[in-house]
Amino acid sequence: MLFTTLNRALKPIGNLQAGRPVLATFQINLRCNSACGYCDLPLNVGRYEMSREEIREVFSRLYRDGARFVLVQGGEPLLRRDLPEILEDLSAIGLHPTLITNGTKVTPQLVQRLSRLPLAISVSLDTLDRVKYRQIRGADQLGQVLEGIAFLKNYPHPKFLTCIVSEINRAEVPAVVRFARAQGFLPVVGAYHWNVGTYGKPDELLMYDRASTAAVFSGLLDDELIPPGYLRRFVEDNVSWLRGQKLEPCDAGRYSIAIDTSGNVSPCLAFPSVGNLLESSLSEILGRFDRDAIEICSDNSSCNRLDGRVVGTIVRHPIVALRTARSFTSQGTSS
């Protein structure tokens, strides 16, 4: 028993040393009640969704393989009726899940239930303007999102508000960030990507001039609107990426993987899947990754997805991790 406990505690450290995954991005469903202009996921087409039991089996094995963090997204994950039970299962396994939602289906009852879990929550909100929200998200849902954010006012675990910068909302990003912090959320600000592998749909209304958008991110840094730690580092990386500068290596297929609702695995959402966890082990699937293609993608800095770079950045810059933890604490106190 002691050996098993020590092995489970040390396994993720071994993964970091060996360049094996500790984080998984999991598309728990591919159903959505929004129609975002920047999303090209195969939504609402009847894809097979792993059952609760299959998810528990898959992630129990991933835990034994050293994975410890999972980003639970969709589609819109709250459209899945057994989501609370699945999140409870993931937590019971020993994983640290983060729920990524558009916020339209958050209720007081749900918040009360999720508060019992070691669960971070990220709500997506790009604008505080109803007309712009409908333009970006393809649905008139701003009121529902703001209500959901209000329900999370006293949520006791880390909570994030993610804003994707596009041409439509560029001018009001600082206002969204100030709103996030006033509501007790940590702001995550990223740039809209298009034509990156299989990720990112080109939308003429959303496509921007890179120099003008880089100035938005620089302004957030100059005005100290982003708290210290990884979230600030991510904004700095966005400035570099938008200016065409080289970024540090991507973690895709190394420290992180992407798993779709059917159990198919790819290095990240920009790459096609190469195996299914219901049929093959993680080691078998990792052996099928095209490492040369991943390295070329990383070297070209063709995207700056947070989930593909967060682990490596923290490993290379441990002070960033400490500052991020302090940001969580201070934000929780201020909220």
Side-chain angles (χ1 to χ4, degrees):
M1 174 66 87
L2 178 60
F3 175 79
T4 301
T5 302
L6 287 172
N7 183 57
R8 289 179 177 175
L10 296 175
K11 186 70 175 178
I13 297 175
N15 279 21
L16 292 176
Q17 293 174 332
R20 288 175 59 89
V22 296
L23 179 148
T25 297
F26 177 38
Q27 296 171 305
I28 197 167
N29 65 0
L30 282 169
R31 291 173 283 134
C32 196
N33 57 347
S34 297
C36 302
Y38 45 65
C39 178
D40 64 351
L41 296 174
L43 300 173
N44 305 322
V45 292
R47 293 283 296 275
Y48 174 72
E49 297 177 5
M50 287 189 290
S51 67
R52 176 186 175 189
E53 291 73 23
E54 288 172 326
I55 292 170
R56 185 166 56 228
E57 175 188 344
V58 162
F59 279 93
S60 293
R61 291 202 306 265
L62 288 176
Y63 179 84
R64 291 194 292 271
D65 284 331
R68 289 297 181 269
F69 304 95
V70 54
L71 307 180
V72 180
Q73 61 180 52
E76 170 45 50
L78 289 178
L79 292 179
R80 181 153 178 161
R81 293 184 179 180
D82 58 354
L83 177 69
E85 290 81 6
I86 292 171
L87 293 173
E88 289 167 353
D89 289 344
L90 295 176
S91 299
I93 289 167
L95 293 161
H96 301 278
T98 296
L99 174 64
I100 300 173
T101 173
N102 63 21
T104 61
K105 296 292 183 180
V106 176
T107 66
Q109 295 78 15
L110 178 70
V111 172
Q112 183 178 29
R113 184 170 180 179
L114 298 185
S115 294
R116 305 187 191 110
L117 303 176
L119 173 74
I121 292 181
S122 177
V123 178
S124 301
L125 181 65
D126 305 322
T127 175
L128 298 170
D129 181 277
R130 182 177 175 183
V131 173
K132 291 181 181 178
Y133 187 96
R134 187 167 59 246
Q135 287 179 301
I136 296 170
R137 295 274 172 172
D140 187 7
Q141 298 171 322
L142 179 59
Q144 296 167 247
V145 180
L146 295 179
E147 186 176 49
I149 288 172
F151 291 148
L152 288 163
K153 177 178 175 57
N154 296 315
Y155 189 70
H157 308 299
K159 53 187 181 179
F160 305 89
L161 191 147
T162 300
C163 175
I164 302 299
V165 182
S166 69
E167 183 60 27
I168 290 178
N169 70 333
R170 202 160 41 85
E172 65 167 312
V173 170
V176 175
V177 171
R178 289 189 176 94
F179 171 80
R181 299 193 67 169
Q183 302 302 312
F185 286 71
L186 288 162
V188 181
V189 186
Y192 161 49
H193 296 75
W194 63 90
N195 290 337
V196 178
T198 60
Y199 175 76
K201 181 174 65 177
D203 185 311
E204 291 185 0
L205 289 177
L206 302 178
M207 294 165 74
Y208 49 72
D209 170 75
R210 294 171 76 96
S212 299
T213 303
V216 174
F217 287 90
S218 294
L220 297 176
L221 298 172
D222 292 343
D223 294 339
E224 298 187 351
L225 292 177
I226 306 298
Y230 182 73
L231 300 180
R232 185 173 179 88
R233 179 75 186 223
F234 183 55
V235 170
E236 292 169 349
D237 282 351
N238 272 280
V239 175
S240 298
W241 176 77
L242 288 163
R243 291 176 176 168
Q245 298 169 2
K246 186 177 177 64
L247 300 178
E248 291 182 313
C250 178
D251 305 329
R254 189 174 179 223
Y255 296 134
S256 65
I257 55 173
I259 306 170
D260 77 4
T261 186
S262 305
N264 298 309
V265 180
S266 58
C268 75
L269 293 178
F271 280 81
S273 64
V274 296
N276 188 290
L277 286 167
L278 296 175
E279 303 167 355
S280 304
S281 70
L282 177 62
S283 292
E284 290 172 325
I285 293 173
L286 293 177
R288 300 172 193 160
F289 284 170
D290 187 338
R291 301 290 173 178
D292 291 338
I294 296 171
E295 184 175 356
I296 290 170
C297 184
S298 176
D299 287 346
N300 290 336
S301 297
S302 59
C303 85
N304 185 33
R305 286 182 53 82
L306 183 145
D307 54 331
R309 296 186 183 274
V310 59
V311 178
T313 296
I314 289 175
V315 169
R316 285 185 290 267
H317 306 279
I319 299 301
V320 167
L322 293 174
R323 289 175 176 168
T324 301
R326 293 194 190 106
S327 295
F328 291 154
T329 302
S330 62
Q331 194 78 355
T333 303
S334 65
S335 64

